[in-house]
């Protein structure tokens, strides 16, 4: 087999594997290097997919325990079989990662198993324990090596008592008390999983609000909702020490300003304080690839690094650490290499927090619009006035659409409610077409549906919502 390729991608996460498929579809001879035993990166193996499998299963468990009776379904003696729930998650991961293998074969993409490093322009070395070193010659190289969990200084993550998201997806028993450090997306999603399965969750967050970056009205609403769900959330607080004892962990906290010490006892502590780009072992220093102050690979608008023909995409470069953002960049790089004009619209990248209620956002928040001095109007509609939501015991939450006060052009959409992550896309599509609130308000929506609340919020931007 000749090791000469048009494109070699290092890392098979949603950035790398999607880039490989698109490039192959566009006629390139493509190689992909992956050091893990299965393809799909963080997203498929230890991120998006396993977390959503656990969120779904734990949600059904909670529904069965608390909501079935009010729907007239008698279900005595609902019990958790955690091993089976974990098996469900593992099967979902396997099916998805095998799906990537199939797609690589279908698109005639050659995979190399091992750690890739860049030896020089157009040369990638692959090192694995089982096979001898191989050199790949490639016209272009894309680095898609993703990110890893960040940690607190001096803390050892043993993935048993002090865990990252990876450990939190594989616990073999439900902890009685779980401390979550960080009220960001991982803390709230995985905190929700274990709360639903019976753990008492305490969350320590450095800032004075949860889910930084999210529209504040939603983040405040969700904070109240989480407290009702039984979460103990301590804002403006940081962890100063974690001591292991025979009876579990003793955690010392203090205020963000360093005052007022308190202790918390827990069986498990989940560290969810963000993720950092991963470039270890790539040999970037050797070839002089530049990083920014946060350790991310610097690229130009075409994703090219400071070295010609070497590109980077996904979590390892700037921008939100989201699977679909990585994939968008993968497609765009493949298209640029094929001589097409392509770009990612960073203003319209939806983000979803898969809790209950779910939270979904696209475009600008109110805080951003204020900061940018844009004159805007707000259209809102609560799910408590939506028939389908009431029928599904899902009346929590609301839709909020932000539009330019003069032109009516939609600038942002924010939904908190059951299934928000599905509903957000009609606002995203509208924004891609530079649509106005009136365009959405004039679009007939099937009844009864939760999406009618999206249209009602658009109507509220104009002459008024109908059902409130
Ligand atoms: P990654 O997916 O991190 O893939 C990088 C790959 O490169 C890995 O397979 C790694 O083994 C490989 N690699 C690294 N170095 C080398 C090397 N030198 N040689 C060979 N291979 C190498 N995002 C969402 O959009 N939605 C979600 O619901 C969501 N849920 C998440 C839940 C959790 C618990 C976590 C941790 C993350 C979640 N994310 C979610 C974020 C998402 O997983 C990442 O944004 C996404 O995976 C980034 O894709 P990537 O291709 O840049 O890198
Ligand atoms: P995050 O950035 O979302 O949240 C981290 C939280 O920890 C922040 O609220 C921050 O203020 C807090 N924090 C930081 N240092 C702290 C400290 N010392 N003490 C207390 N709190 C501290 O990061 P998270 O949740 O780890 O997720 C990482 C990334 O993974 C996210 O940025 C997101 O892009 C991605 N992700 C996306 C998901 C989705 O799209 N549904 C799901 C899970 C992860």
């Amino acid at each position: 087999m000749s090791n000469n390729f048009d494109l070699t991608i290092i890392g098979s996460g949603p950035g790398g594997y999607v880039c490989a498929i698109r490039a192959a579809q566009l006629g390139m001879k493509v190689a992909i290097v992956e050091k893990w035993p299965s393809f799909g990166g963080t997203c498929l193996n230890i991120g998006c997919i396993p977390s959503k499998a656990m969120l779904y299963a734990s949600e059904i468990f909670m529904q069965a325990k608390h909501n079935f009776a009010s729907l007239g379904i008698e279900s005595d003696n609902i019990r958790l079989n955690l091993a089976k729930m974990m098996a469900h998650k593992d099967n979902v991961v396997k099916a998805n990662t095998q799906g990537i293998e199939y797609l690589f074969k279908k698109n005639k993409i050659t995979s190399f198993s091992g750690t890739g490093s860049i030896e020089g322009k157009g040369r990638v070395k692959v090192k694995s324990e089982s096979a001898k070193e191989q050199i790949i010659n490639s016209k272009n190289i894309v680095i898609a090596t993703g990110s890893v969990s960040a940690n607190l200084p001096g803390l050892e993550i043993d993935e048993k008592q002090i865990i990252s998201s990876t450990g939190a997806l594989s616990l073999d028993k439900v902890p009685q008390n779980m401390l979550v450090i960080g009220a960001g997306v991982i803390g709230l999603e995985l905190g929700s999983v274990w709360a639903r399965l019976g753990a008492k969750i305490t969350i320590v967050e450095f800032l004075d609000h949860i889910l930084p970056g999210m529209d504040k009205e939603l983040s405040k609403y969700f904070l109240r909702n989480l407290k009702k769900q039984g979460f103990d959330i301590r804002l403006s607080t940081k962890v100063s020490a974690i001591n292991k004892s025979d009876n579990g962990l003793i955690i010392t906290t203090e205020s963000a300003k360093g005052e007022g010490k308190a202790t918390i006892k827990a069986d498990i502590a989940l560290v969810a304080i963000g993720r950092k780009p991963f470039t270890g072992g790539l040999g970037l220093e050797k070839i002089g690839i530049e990083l920014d102050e946060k350790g991310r690979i610097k690229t130009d608008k075409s994703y090219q690094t400071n070295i010609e023909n070497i590109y980077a995409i996904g979590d390892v470069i700037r921008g939100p650490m989201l699977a679909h953002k990585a994939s968008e960049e993968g497609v765009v790089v493949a298209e640029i290499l094929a001589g097409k004009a392509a770009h990612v619209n960073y203003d319209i990248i939806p983000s979803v927090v898969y809790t209950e209620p779910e939270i979904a956002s696209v475009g600008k928040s109110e805080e951003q619009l204020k900061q940018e001095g844009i004159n805007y109007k707000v259209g809102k509609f609560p799910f408590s006035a939506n028939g389908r939501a009431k029928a599904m015991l899902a009346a929590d939450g609301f839709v909020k659409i932000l539009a330019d006060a003069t032109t009516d052009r939609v600038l942002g959409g924010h939904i908190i409610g059951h299934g928000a992550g599905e509903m957000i896309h009609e606002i995203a599509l509208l924004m891609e077409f530079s649509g106005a609130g009136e365009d959405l308000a004039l679009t007939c929506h099937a009844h009864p549906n939760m999406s009618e609340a999206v249209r009602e919020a658009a109507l509220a931007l104009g002459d008024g919502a109908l059902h409130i």
Side-chain angles (χ1 to χ4, degrees):
M1 184 181 70
S2 134
N3 275 358
N4 295 328
F5 291 89
D6 296 314
L7 172 63
T8 297
I9 298 160
I10 308 179
S12 73
Y17 88 74
V18 170
C19 182
I21 293 171
R22 195 76 182 128
Q25 286 172 340
L26 293 170
M28 283 172 245
K29 189 178 172 211
V30 182
I32 193 154
V33 185
E34 175 54 58
K35 64 178 182 177
W36 285 350
S38 52
F39 300 124
T42 303
C43 176
L44 271 62
N45 291 282
I46 51 166
C48 326
I49 297 297
S51 61
K52 270 74 235 178
M54 290 302 290
L55 277 157
Y56 176 73
S58 61
E59 169 67 12
I60 300 284
F61 177 67
M62 198 188 62
Q63 293 273 354
K65 276 185 97 170
H66 302 294
N67 282 352
F68 277 14
S70 31
L71 297 169
I73 305 169
E74 301 297 346
S75 52
D76 304 329
N77 204 14
I78 295 282
R79 294 175 333 281
L80 172 68
N81 183 333
L82 185 60
K84 266 202 170 161
M85 197 178 273
M86 288 290 172
H88 156 71
K89 175 213 60 173
D90 293 339
N91 289 338
V92 171
V93 167
K94 199 168 165 199
N96 278 277
T97 56
Q98 285 178 345
I100 308 295
E101 269 175 50
Y102 159 79
L103 290 170
F104 283 171
K105 279 201 188 99
K106 182 181 163 204
N107 288 287
K108 300 191 173 44
I109 294 160
T110 307
S111 62
F112 290 83
S113 178
T115 300
S117 58
I118 306 178
E119 290 299 288
K121 259 186 85 174
R123 278 167 68 80
V124 173
K125 182 165 84 184
V126 184
K127 220 173 152 180
S128 74
E129 277 166 23
S130 50
K132 62 176 193 298
E133 278 179 13
Q134 297 185 72
I135 293 287
I136 304 171
N137 300 309
S138 191
K139 283 185 202 147
N140 296 290
I141 297 168
V142 170
I143 303 169
T145 47
S147 63
V148 289
S149 304
N151 193 9
L152 291 168
L155 193 68
E156 191 209 337
I157 297 201
D158 56 26
E159 296 295 9
K160 288 193 164 57
Q161 275 185 296
I162 302 177
I163 59 176
S164 70
S165 54
T166 305
L169 287 165
S170 310
L171 296 179
D172 55 12
K173 70 173 202 267
V174 179
Q176 247 182 344
N177 293 291
M178 183 168 181
L179 172 82
V180 176
I181 310 172
V185 202
I186 291 183
L188 298 183
E189 286 189 0
L190 297 181
S192 292
V193 165
W194 292 105
R196 293 166 187 174
L197 300 181
K200 165 84 189 132
I201 307 287
T202 304
I203 303 186
V204 171
E205 165 59 50
F206 187 77
L207 299 175
D208 64 359
H209 58 279
I210 63 170
L211 292 169
M214 164 160 303
D215 188 282
K216 281 266 176 65
E217 191 178 357
L218 277 86
S219 120
K220 279 186 194 154
Y221 182 98
F222 192 45
L223 176 65
R224 285 196 299 275
N225 188 293
L226 284 169
K227 286 183 177 166
K228 271 195 241 155
Q229 290 184 40
F231 285 77
D232 175 356
I233 302 182
R234 306 188 186 183
L235 299 176
S236 306
T237 304
K238 62 182 176 187
V239 168
S240 44
I242 302 186
N243 293 309
K244 289 182 179 175
S245 80
D246 291 345
N247 301 323
L249 302 170
I250 299 176
I251 298 110
T252 311
T253 65
E254 53 190 82
S255 78
K257 288 187 188 145
E259 299 152 353
K261 280 195 185 337
T263 54
I264 301 169
K265 283 188 179 166
D267 316 302
I268 299 271
L270 164 61
V271 183
I273 58 166
R275 292 180 63 80
K276 54 181 189 189
F278 180 72
T279 53
L282 280 171
L284 300 188
E285 329 70 51
K286 208 164 73 183
I287 52 166
I289 288 189
E290 285 173 12
L291 305 182
D292 69 12
E293 69 295 344
K294 292 186 173 164
R296 302 173 296 195
I297 297 177
K298 278 193 196 169
T299 68
D300 64 14
K301 278 190 181 152
S302 305
Y303 305 97
Q304 189 161 232
T305 65
N306 58 311
I307 310 270
E308 221 185 346
N309 302 115
I310 303 183
Y311 297 77
I313 55 170
D315 279 10
V316 81
I317 66 167
R318 82 269 168 286
M321 288 185 167
L322 294 173
H324 42 288
K325 174 263 190 189
S327 297
E328 290 291 301
E329 291 172 345
V331 168
V332 164
V333 166
E335 294 188 346
I336 289 173
L337 291 176
K340 291 173 174 262
H343 81 287
V344 176
N345 184 356
Y346 289 99
D347 290 336
I348 309 180
I349 295 191
S351 67
V352 180
V353 187
Y354 295 85
T355 44
E356 192 56 47
E358 215 162 76
I359 311 170
S361 285
V362 65
K364 309 262 187 212
S365 64
E366 262 199 90
E367 291 70 36
Q368 280 173 314
L369 291 172
K370 279 185 191 141
Q371 207 178 18
E372 291 172 24
I374 296 170
N375 197 6
Y376 65 93
K377 54 183 175 173
V378 184
K380 272 201 322 194
F381 192 81
F383 287 110
S384 56
N386 174 279
R388 181 77 183 278
K390 281 193 270 204
M392 290 165 56
L393 303 183
D396 254 343
F398 57 91
V399 181
K400 170 173 173 177
I401 301 181
L402 304 169
D404 187 286
T406 318
T407 64
D408 194 33
R409 181 176 173 171
V410 172
L411 304 170
H414 307 276
I415 308 177
I416 179 162
H418 184 76
E422 300 290 344
M423 287 183 275
I424 198 70
H425 294 103
E426 70 171 308
I427 303 179
L429 186 64
L430 180 75
M431 288 174 67
E432 276 292 353
F433 283 89
S434 308
E438 192 184 23
D439 295 318
L440 181 46
L442 288 172
T443 306
C444 180
H445 283 57
H447 176 74
N449 260 308
M450 292 193 63
S451 303
E452 287 174 284
V454 180
R455 184 195 187 188
E456 290 270 19
L459 281 162
L461 285 168
D463 292 335
L466 293 164
H467 290 88
I468 198 152

